[in-house]
Amino acid sequence: MSGPGVRLHIQDHHVVMDNGIVQVTLSNPGGIVTGIRYNGVDNLLEVLNKESNRGYWDLVWSAPGTKGIFDVIQGTCFKVIVQNEEQVELSFTRMWDPSLEGKFVPLNIDKRFIMLRGSSGFYSYGIYEHLNGWPDFDLSETRITFKLRKDKFQYMAMADNRRRILPYPEDRLPGRCQTLGYAEAVLLTNPKDPQLQGEVDDKYQYSCANMDNRVHGWISFNPPVGFWQITPSDEFRSGGPLKQNLTSHVGPTTLAMFLSSHYAGQDLVPKIRGGESWKKVFGPVYIYLNSAAVSDDPLWLWEDAKIQMMNEVQSWPYYFPASEDFLKSDQRGNISGRLLVLDKYICTDLISANGAYVGLAPPGDAGSWQRECKDYQFWTRADENGFFTIRNVRPGDYNLFAWVPGFVGDYKFVDFMKITPGSYTELGELVYEPPRDGPTLWEIGIPDRSAAEFYAPDPNPQYMNRLFINHPDRFRQYGLWDRYTELYPATDLVYTVGVNDYRKDWFYAQAPRKKEDNTLQGTTWQIKFELSGVVRGSTYKLRVAIASATLAELQVRVNDPNAGRPLFTSGLIGRDNSIARLGIHGIYWLYNVSIPGSLLIDGTNTIYFTQPRCTSPFQGIMYDYIRLEGPPCEGI
C-alpha cells in the first residue's frame, strides 16, 4: 500500500494511530475507540456520548444459573506489538485472577487494533482465554459496538434491498413513539423527520444470516462519508452459515457480532464447565471508511463498500496480525470433494448436490453444527455438480457436515477429518442418502430450512415499515402473527392437498389465536388428502421439517382430532423467538412420524397439527417442509 507511513502518538490517557488517511484515538489503557477522524470530520463517533460509549468491545456473561452481566471490556494494560512504517498493532489486555471472581468474566482478554499504511480504515480482533481450573461461566454475547454521530449518519445499508433512512435515536423516546409488543419495536408517532411518521422501527428487521452478513454500515450525506463494518470470514462466528445476527440499527449503531443467542436461544450460549481450558480468536474485522465528491451520488459509497468487502474476503486469512493465535494461510489445511445425493424414489442415479452447504465443525452428531458455539467452523457452497473446496481450515479434528437444499435431513461423513498445517485432503465422491421410506404421496413447502415460501400476509396498515412493501422479505413486517386471527377468526387453517397452494394458503407461522377477550388459545391445523388402496398392515411415514420453534409443541393426530393421546408429540421445543424477531428460520428440527396404515382410510383423510402452547403471542412453529410417504415399494 502507498501513502505516508503509519504514525503512533502515545499520550497519558490516549493512543493515536494515524496513517494520513484516517486517525484513530483509543483510550489508554482501556482500548476504547474514542475518536475516528476522517475526510475533514474531527470525529465520526458520537461526540455527545461519554468516551467510554463510542467504540468498544463488550460481552454478556454469567456464572452458571445466574443472571447475565453486561460488561464493556476496559483494558488494564497497553502494549505496542508492532510499530513500523507499514503497520501499527496495539494490544489492550485485561487479565483475570481469582481475586476478581464474581466481578469479571474469568477470561484473559486481549483486544488488538491494527492500522496499515495506505488503508482507509483499521482492523480489530480479540483473543479470549479461559485457563484450566478457572471458574465455570456462560458467555451469551460478545461483539464490537460503534455508535456514530447522529447529526451525520442517517442512511443505513446492510443489503441491496435493505437500506434506507432510519429514525433519529430521539424518535424512539416517549413523546415521539409508541412502544409495541416488545421494547425493540416502536411506532413512530412524532419523528423529527416527518416522512417517517406512522412507520415501525425495529432493529430485528435488519438481522442477517451469517453467510450474508459481510458488510453493513452508514452513509453521511454531508459530507459524503461511509462507515462500514466488514467481516471477511464466518470461521469465528457460532452456529454455522444460517445463524442470524444483528447488523446496524437506530443509534446510529453498527455491530460486529461474534456470539449471540438470537434466533437460537441457550443452545448458542457457550458454557465453559469443569474448569476446562478454552481459547478463541474473534476477528479480525475491518472498519472501512470511504468518501465521495460532493457532486457524486453518496449512495455510491455502498457500492464501493461491497467491492472493498470482496477484497477483504479474498485476502482472508490476513497475513499481518501479529498474534501467533491467529493462524496464517500456510498454517492451515484444505479439503475438497464431491457430494452426491441418492434418493431412489426420485431417481435411481446419483444426483449432484447442487448448492449444498458443506462444512467442517467440531465433532458431533449429524446437524450438531447448528448448536455448536465454542470453536471454529468452516463452510462453503458446493457448485451445481456438487464439487466443493473448503480452504484455510485451522488444524484440528472435525466432522464434515452438509445439508442439501431440496432434501430433508443432515449429512455427516463417517470418518473424523484431521486437518494439519499445509495439508490438502481430497475426499472424492461422498453420497448422502436423505431420510426416505417410500414414494411421495404429497408434500407442502420446499425443504430449504426456511418458511419464506409460505404465506406472509400484508401487515396491518398501522404497523408498516415501507421498506418491506412488495419486498421478498415480506415476513419482516411487524405484527404479522396477529393477522392469523383476522384471517381465521373462528376456525383454524385447513389445507387440502391438490386444491390449496402453500404459497397462498399455508400461513407462515402456527402461532396462537387471540380471542375476543384478548386471551390466547392454541391452534389445530388440518391437512386433508385423498388416498386409495390403503395398505392397512403397512407403515406410512410423515416427515415434518421445522424451520423454527419458540416454546412450542407439535402434536400430530390422524383422522381423530379428539384422540386423548396424540400419535406423536415433539414435547416442548425451541427458544428461537423468530416470530417476534421477524426472522423466518432458526434452529432446524426434523421429525419422522410413523403412521400405521390401520389409521388411514380409502377416501378423505385428515392429519391434525396441534400447537397447544399459548402463554405468549410469539410462541409457535414455522414449518420448513412436510411430506407424506407411502409404504416402501418392492425392489427400491
Side-chain angles (χ1 to χ4, degrees), residues 120 227 232 236-237 400 414 419 430 451 487 550 633:
S120 187
F227 181 101
F236 44 79
R237 285 174 169 158
L400 182 89
V414 64
I419 302 296
L430 312 176
L487 288 166
T550 302
C633 299

Side-chain angles (χ1 to χ4, degrees), residues 127-380:
I127 305 153
Y128 291 18
E129 184 172 19
H130 180 266
L131 297 185
N132 188 44
W134 280 5
D136 296 348
F137 72 99
D138 296 353
L139 185 63
S140 54
E141 187 172 84
T142 191
R143 63 191 185 180
I144 310 176
T145 301
F146 289 98
K147 296 185 175 178
L148 309 185
R149 283 177 64 156
K150 65 187 179 186
D151 64 333
K152 299 289 184 191
F153 294 97
Q154 281 109 41
Y155 188 94
M156 188 277 295
M158 46 78 57
D160 285 338
N161 61 4
R162 283 200 278 167
R163 48 195 178 121
R164 61 164 296 166
I165 297 279
L166 285 185
Y168 288 90
E170 296 91 329
D171 294 336
R172 295 182 52 89
L173 298 176
R176 291 195 178 273
C177 73
Q178 171 195 339
T179 302
L180 298 175
Y182 43 87
E184 293 87 352
V186 300
L187 178 65
L188 303 170
T189 53
N190 182 29
K192 293 173 74 174
D193 180 348
Q195 293 184 70
L196 302 180
Q197 184 158 351
E199 288 202 70
V200 168
D201 177 66
D202 182 343
K203 66 183 179 181
Y204 291 104
Q205 292 178 318
Y206 309 107
S207 295
C208 187
N210 281 345
M211 62 183 178
D212 300 319
N213 190 356
R214 292 269 184 257
V215 56
H216 59 89
W218 296 84
I219 293 173
S220 161
F221 293 147
N222 183 25
V225 166
F227 181 101
W228 308 103
Q229 192 271 306
I230 293 176
T231 305
S233 170
D234 280 342
E235 68 179 51
F236 44 79
R237 285 174 169 158
S238 57
L242 298 186
K243 169 71 172 74
Q244 295 170 89
N245 277 306
L246 294 169
T247 58
S248 290
H249 57 264
V250 170
T253 298
T254 285
L255 302 174
M257 297 294 305
F258 301 125
L259 286 175
S260 86
S261 59
H262 290 137
Y263 303 94
Q266 282 291 313
D267 285 341
L268 265 290
V269 174
K271 298 171 181 65
I272 307 301
R273 295 291 185 270
E276 65 184 294
S277 57
W278 177 74
K279 182 189 278 192
K280 190 165 183 180
V281 178
F282 296 104
V285 298
Y286 184 41
I287 301 305
Y288 175 59
L289 310 172
N290 59 4
S291 58
V294 175
S295 57
D296 291 341
D297 179 358
L299 300 187
W300 168 85
L301 296 170
W302 164 244
E303 301 302 321
D304 175 68
K306 290 188 294 179
I307 294 168
Q308 185 65 39
M309 175 271 290
M310 292 302 299
N311 292 338
E312 300 298 320
V313 169
Q314 287 159 15
S315 302
W316 187 268
Y318 296 134
Y319 67 89
F320 49 80
S323 170
E324 62 184 24
D325 291 312
F326 181 77
L327 302 186
K328 314 307 185 288
S329 188
D330 62 354
Q331 298 172 285
R332 297 171 176 237
N334 306 278
I335 194 165
S336 64
R338 185 186 189 192
L339 185 63
L340 303 165
V341 178
L342 180 60
D343 185 338
K344 291 181 180 176
Y345 285 95
I346 293 178
C347 180
T348 55
D349 295 331
L350 293 170
I351 304 164
S352 295
N354 181 6
Y357 293 75
V358 186
L360 290 172
D365 296 334
S368 60
W369 53 267
Q370 66 173 342
R371 292 178 170 85
E372 193 284 318
C373 52
K374 284 184 180 176
D375 293 302
Y376 303 90
Q377 298 193 30
F378 302 86
W379 286 85
T380 192

Side-chain angles (χ1 to χ4, degrees), residues 49-50 52 100 124 144 228 255 274 374 445 526 600 612 626 633:
N49 287 4
K50 290 182 179 176
S52 58
L100 300 172
S124 188
I144 310 176
W228 308 103
L255 302 174
K374 284 184 180 176
Q526 301 178 40
L600 300 168
I626 304 159
C633 299

Side-chain angles (χ1 to χ4, degrees), residues 482 485 512-522 614-617:
D482 279 340
T485 302
R513 174 194 281 100
K514 188 178 286 187
K515 297 195 287 189
E516 287 186 9
D517 62 0
N518 269 347
T519 60
L520 301 170
Q521 66 179 156
C614 57
T615 53
S616 158

